[in-house]
Amino acid sequence: MFMGGAAFAYYYPVLDHYLREYRVGIGLGDNEDSYATVIAGGLCMQLLSKNLSALEPIMEQISDLVDYVRSHTQILADDPEEQADINSTWQVLQAQLLQIRARQKNQN
């Protein structure tokens, strides 16, 4: 899911919409890795960028999606172990967001 920050910010609403509309059992695909876990990994990679200016306009949206996913794991996976994996992956993403906010606050 690598792409530049501006492109990622442009396409982000599609990811957000997908996760909010996805339900277990909808669609085809390999259930080896949860879609929610894979998307969180891509978001984490974007947030590792040294220049987050292109993502700044969507940071609150990402934070809101983190809250949504962490509170809706039961509609994203049937298996309690997979639900726990989703939650822990999104918890890492949430921690990244908090670190970014703290750095930004210290710079101001």
Side-chain angles (χ1 to χ4, degrees):
M1 191 186 299
F2 176 79
M3 62 178 71
F8 186 84
Y10 178 81
Y11 287 107
Y12 174 79
V14 175
L15 295 174
D16 187 290
H17 179 76
Y18 177 79
L19 285 171
R20 291 178 193 272
E21 297 299 318
Y22 179 83
R23 300 294 179 269
V24 172
I26 294 177
L28 303 173
D30 181 2
N31 290 332
E32 205 169 294
D33 285 324
S34 160
Y35 299 118
T37 302
V38 172
I39 290 170
L43 286 166
C44 284
M45 292 301 296
Q46 287 292 324
L47 295 177
L48 290 175
S49 172
K50 293 194 186 304
N51 183 0
L52 296 173
S53 61
L55 300 180
E56 196 58 45
I58 63 168
M59 287 295 209
E60 283 304 313
Q61 294 171 36
I62 294 171
S63 182
D64 184 54
L65 184 60
V66 169
D67 293 340
Y68 174 83
V69 169
R70 293 195 67 206
S71 64
H72 289 83
T73 59
Q74 73 283 357
I75 65 171
L76 297 168
D78 285 327
D79 180 47
E81 193 172 303
E82 187 175 353
Q83 291 172 6
D85 287 345
I86 292 169
N87 187 54
S88 66
T89 304
W90 284 80
Q91 186 175 18
V92 169
L93 179 56
Q94 189 172 45
Q96 274 187 281
L97 286 169
L98 291 172
Q99 288 175 349
I100 290 167
R101 285 187 187 137
R103 278 195 310 261
Q104 289 171 337
K105 192 173 186 177
N106 289 336
Q107 291 174 352
N108 293 332

